Amino acid sequence: MKSFISLIFLTLLAACPAYGKKVSPADKKATKETVNLFRSLYNLQNKGIMYGHQDDLMYGSTWWYVKDRSDTKDFTGDYPAVAGFELGHLELGNERSLDSVSFVQIVDQIKAHYKRGGVITISWHANNPLTLQDPASVSRRQGGTAWDVSSKEVVASILPGGKNHEMFNGWLERLATFFIGLKDDDGTPIPFIFRPYHEHSGSFFWWGTDICTDKEYSDLWRYTVNFLRDKKNIHNILYAYNTDRITTLEQYMRGYPGDDVIDMLSLDMYDRGEKFGGELDNALNFVTKTAIGKNKLTALSETGGRRGMSDWWSTVLLPVVSKYPIGYVLTWRHAYRSRFTMGGNPNQPFPDDFMNFHKSPRTLFLKEIQEENLYRRK
Ligand code: BMA
């Protein structure tokens, strides 16, 4: 009887929103630190928006890999809360990424950022597994790369039964080996957010909406998660589903692989002009609503300012993202020696207005999330 009463009590408690939901990652075997990260991020979404920066720890437009250096830290005095890394060309067995970054140094900086209590997110601009093998593709612009959309057979060719299936398994093996190597000093696997096959709604990557069918896209995702999670027993990954700009939920969900494999619903949207604020507002509204309804995480996983606009961070981005429970906002890499750094001044990694974004009570940089102890380490 007593246990029956306590069962009723617990059921009521769980149903009461005031006590918070006990959310969990899709991976039922996720490690303790990964579950803790997922729950911390879920709750943090209501408190503030973390700032993330791609390759922040690897280089800036005027410097190349200086251990622990960061454009964000140089400019604001603090590291970004979220550090983004890129694995393109790891699948080829190369020592350096498509952006010439050493994978050994990437591992070092992932460990360093985890040690500091920061969040790690990883993207993968995988080469085109079909056209890569075609010698003629080399002569074409983007030939053989992630951006090679010359064939619509690519995804079918790597799924089970496809002619490149075994080769693609080899690529996933290399990814798995890299992921298994991501451990802290005690040998504990480092949790991270993995965002492969990104910007699905665009058609500029071989996994884009018009380049493969929705079913193929979903199958590719499910095959990848099954491979890493179930076959290779890797349980420190949170998986991020991602599209490029979209205007409807229906468009957003095309090819969605399922709640049992996805942990985060994310969106990429760059400012291409006046309409951006409204478009972003519209998209974040239904993306975050859907994510929260599914007990998933959210992010504006790539964005960037309008050229020539000096107060974009505080007058365009911040007012819109502040309206929604968004985990983080990430801006893309400051390519080494790029002529296109924001604000146009290569000696200044961010425009002055970035400080307004940094100082806003709505945004979170590393120091603020260190207090949260996201992984609940002792
Ligand atoms: C793209 C560009 C490329 C880069 C790729 C992967 O958006 O920045 O130059 O190689 O991301 O980082």
PDB file of all heavy atoms in Angstrom, residues 179 263 317:
ATOM      1  N   PHE A 179      36.718   9.810 -31.855  1.00  0.00           N
ATOM      2  CA  PHE A 179      35.810  10.082 -30.730  1.00  0.00           C
ATOM      3  C   PHE A 179      36.228   9.286 -29.485  1.00  0.00           C
ATOM      4  O   PHE A 179      36.150   9.793 -28.360  1.00  0.00           O
ATOM      5  CB  PHE A 179      34.364   9.744 -31.113  1.00  0.00           C
ATOM      6  CG  PHE A 179      33.759  10.699 -32.125  1.00  0.00           C
ATOM      7  CD1 PHE A 179      32.672  10.322 -32.908  1.00  0.00           C
ATOM      8  CD2 PHE A 179      34.276  11.981 -32.293  1.00  0.00           C
ATOM      9  CE1 PHE A 179      32.111  11.204 -33.830  1.00  0.00           C
ATOM     10  CE2 PHE A 179      33.724  12.869 -33.218  1.00  0.00           C
ATOM     11  CZ  PHE A 179      32.641  12.471 -33.994  1.00  0.00           C
ATOM     12  N   ASP A 263      19.244  14.778 -30.201  1.00  0.00           N
ATOM     13  CA  ASP A 263      19.214  15.456 -28.895  1.00  0.00           C
ATOM     14  C   ASP A 263      18.964  16.944 -29.008  1.00  0.00           C
ATOM     15  O   ASP A 263      18.562  17.579 -28.039  1.00  0.00           O
ATOM     16  CB  ASP A 263      20.564  15.271 -28.185  1.00  0.00           C
ATOM     17  CG  ASP A 263      20.820  13.826 -27.871  1.00  0.00           C
ATOM     18  OD1 ASP A 263      20.059  13.269 -27.069  1.00  0.00           O
ATOM     19  OD2 ASP A 263      21.765  13.241 -28.450  1.00  0.00           O
ATOM     20  N   LEU A 317      20.810  40.831 -33.746  1.00  0.00           N
ATOM     21  CA  LEU A 317      20.854  39.466 -33.197  1.00  0.00           C
ATOM     22  C   LEU A 317      20.240  39.361 -31.797  1.00  0.00           C
ATOM     23  O   LEU A 317      19.339  38.546 -31.555  1.00  0.00           O
ATOM     24  CB  LEU A 317      22.309  38.973 -33.173  1.00  0.00           C
ATOM     25  CG  LEU A 317      22.491  37.538 -32.696  1.00  0.00           C
ATOM     26  CD1 LEU A 317      21.855  36.547 -33.673  1.00  0.00           C
ATOM     27  CD2 LEU A 317      23.968  37.205 -32.496  1.00  0.00           C
TER      28      LEU A 317
END
